[in-house]
C-alpha cells in the first residue's frame, strides 16, 4: 500500500490517502503538544513507540471482540487503517483520580474511583475541547442515543481488557482517552491511538508516571518513560 496525498495533519500524526478508497495511512510524529497546543516540543522516538504500542493494543482489543480501524503495520511509524469519519468526541475513562478530574472535584491524585468514570469532551481546539454530557451530544447530533450507548459499552469493555493486560506489565491504567469513527458502511470503529500520549500509565508499585504527564509537567526522562512502556507492553 502506498501513500498518496496528505489528507490531514494533526498535532501528533499525519494521515495520507492510499490507492484503496477504504483505507488510509497514519504516520506518527515525534512532535508533542500540551495545553491545547500552547506547549510544544519533541519526544525522541515517540512516533515509533506510539505506533507500535497502539497497534499492539488494537490487535489485543480486536481479539477480544472490539471492532477497530487497525489494518496493518507498515513500518516503524506508519500503519494502514480503515478510513473513518471521526465522531468529534474525546471519550475518557478514569479509574484513578488525576489531571483535570482531580482538580475539578478537589481530589488528591491517586485516589481510586469506586467505579470507573466516563466523560465526553467535544473535540474542538478553538473551544479548548469542552466537556459535554449525553444531552449536548444528542442535541449537537454528534451521535444518536443508540450510537452513544454502543460507544459507552465499548469504552467500559476496553477499560476492562486494558486493565487486565496492563496489570501483567506492572502498569496501572489511571485514565485514557478514546476516539471512535464511522466507516464507509456506517459501522462504529475504535480509531485514533492508545499510547502514552493518550493514557496515564503509572508503575504499579512506585506510582512513577510513565506517560505524557512527564512532558506536560516537565518531569524529565520523557523518552525513557515511553521506552519503558514499550518494553513492558511487549513483555520485555
Ligand atoms: P485530563 O485529566 O487532562 O482531562 O486527561 C484525561 C486523559 O485523557 C489522560 O489520560 C490524557 C488524555 N488526554 C488526551 O489524550 N488528549 C488531550 O488533549 C487531553 C487533555 C487528555
Amino acid at each position: 500500500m502506498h501513500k498518496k496525498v496528505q489528507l490531514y495533519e494533526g498535532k501528533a500524526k499525519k494521515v495520507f490517502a492510499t490507492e484503496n478508497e477504504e483505507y488510509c495511512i497514519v504516520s506518527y510524529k515525534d512532535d508533542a503538544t500540551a495545553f491545547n497546543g500552547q506547549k510544544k516540543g519533541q519526544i525522541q522516538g515517540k512516533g515509533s513507540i506510539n505506533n507500535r504500542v497502539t497497534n499492539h493494543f488494537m490487535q489485543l482489543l480486536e481479539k477480544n471482540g472490539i471492532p477497530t480501524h487497525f489494518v496493518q503495520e507498515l513500518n516503524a511509524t506508519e500503519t494502514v487503517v480503515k478510513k473513518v469519519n471521526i465522531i468529534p468526541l474525546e471519550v475518557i475513562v478514569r479509574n484513578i483520580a488525576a489531571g483535570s478530574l482531580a482538580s475539578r472535584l478537589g481530589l488528591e491524585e491517586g485516589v481510586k474511583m469506586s467505579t470507573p468514570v466516563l466523560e465526553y469532551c467535544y473535540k474542538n481546539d478553538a473551544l479548548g475541547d469542552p466537556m459535554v454530557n449525553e444531552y449536548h451530544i444528542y442535541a449537537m447530533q454528534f451521535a444518536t442515543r443508540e450510537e452513544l450507548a454502543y460507544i459507552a459499552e465499548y469504552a467500559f469493555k476496553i477499560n476492562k481488557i486494558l486493565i487486565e493486560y496492563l496489570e501483567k506489565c506492572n502498569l496501572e491504567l489511571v485514565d485514557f482517552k478514546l476516539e471512535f469513527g464511522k466507516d464507509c458502511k456506517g459501522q462504529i470503529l475504535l480509531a485514533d491511538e492508545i499510547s502514552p500520549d493518550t493514557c496515564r500509565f503509572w508503575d504499579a508499585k512506585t506510582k512513577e508516571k510513565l506517560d505524557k504527564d512527564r512532558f506536560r509537567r516537565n518531569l524529565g526522562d520523557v523518552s525513557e518513560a515511553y521506552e519503558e512502556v514499550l518494553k513492558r507492553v511487549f513483555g520485555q
Side-chain angles (χ1 to χ4, degrees):
M1 190 133 325
H2 298 97
K3 280 193 291 200
K4 292 174 87 181
V5 287
Q6 184 175 306
L7 297 175
Y8 172 79
E9 177 162 11
K11 287 176 283 203
K13 297 187 285 295
K14 291 178 183 174
V15 181
F16 296 89
T18 69
E19 57 270 25
N20 185 330
E21 271 284 292
E22 293 184 15
Y23 294 154
C24 49
I25 292 173
V26 178
S27 179
Y28 288 75
K29 307 192 280 186
D30 284 353
D31 297 349
T33 63
F35 313 118
N36 201 16
Q38 287 177 66
K39 180 180 163 84
K40 289 194 176 76
Q42 287 235 319
I43 301 172
Q44 201 66 42
K46 175 171 91 78
S48 74
I49 292 170
N50 284 1
N51 184 42
R52 295 186 60 197
V53 168
T54 294
N55 292 342
H56 191 78
F57 285 142
M58 290 289 178
Q59 289 171 91
L60 170 75
L61 293 170
E62 282 278 358
K63 260 190 243 152
N64 284 276
I66 311 287
T68 81
H69 72 164
F70 176 80
V71 177
Q72 187 197 354
E73 189 167 291
L74 276 186
N75 56 50
T77 57
E78 295 179 324
T79 294
V80 182
V81 297
K82 289 180 191 150
K83 198 190 273 180
V84 294
N85 279 319
I86 290 286
I87 296 167
L89 292 175
E90 298 200 331
V91 178
I92 297 168
V93 181
R94 303 179 181 268
N95 299 303
I96 296 171
S100 69
L101 177 78
S103 30
R104 196 179 332 117
L105 297 185
L107 297 171
E108 202 176 315
E109 272 208 330
V111 173
K112 192 175 174 348
M113 305 310 286
S114 60
T115 178
V117 173
L118 183 63
E119 293 172 353
Y120 304 107
C121 293
Y122 171 30
K123 255 174 78 75
N124 183 315
D125 280 344
L127 299 176
D129 300 338
M131 189 185 277
V132 289
N133 68 27
E134 297 95 300
Y135 301 99
H136 299 116
I137 294 169
Y138 308 144
M140 296 286 285
Q141 298 183 306
F142 297 146
T144 64
R145 282 169 170 73
E146 292 70 31
E147 287 167 349
L148 199 64
Y150 176 95
I151 287 170
E153 181 190 334
Y154 277 83
F156 287 123
K157 273 191 194 164
I158 292 164
N159 188 40
K160 273 204 181 136
I161 298 162
L162 293 179
I163 288 177
E164 195 185 317
Y165 185 86
L166 289 162
E167 258 171 16
K168 296 181 211 132
C169 312
N170 254 316
L171 288 170
E172 248 174 18
L173 182 60
V174 174
D175 56 32
F176 58 99
K177 185 263 300 179
L178 302 171
E179 293 183 25
F180 293 84
K182 266 195 224 172
D183 70 8
C184 56
K185 296 174 199 115
Q187 199 198 351
I188 295 181
L189 304 177
L190 176 65
D192 196 50
E193 64 181 282
I194 304 176
S195 72
D197 268 17
T198 61
C199 305
R200 286 195 172 93
F201 298 124
W202 291 356
D203 180 276
K205 289 198 188 72
T206 66
K207 313 296 175 192
E208 186 187 6
K209 293 179 181 15
L210 296 170
D211 56 61
K212 196 174 166 191
D213 270 349
R214 301 204 73 83
F215 170 80
R216 295 189 188 100
R217 303 179 188 191
N218 301 315
L219 300 176
D221 293 334
V222 185
S223 295
E224 289 79 359
Y226 278 67
E227 294 276 356
E228 184 61 28
V229 168
L230 176 76
K231 270 197 222 154
R232 292 197 199 185
V233 165
F234 279 82
Q236 291 157 9

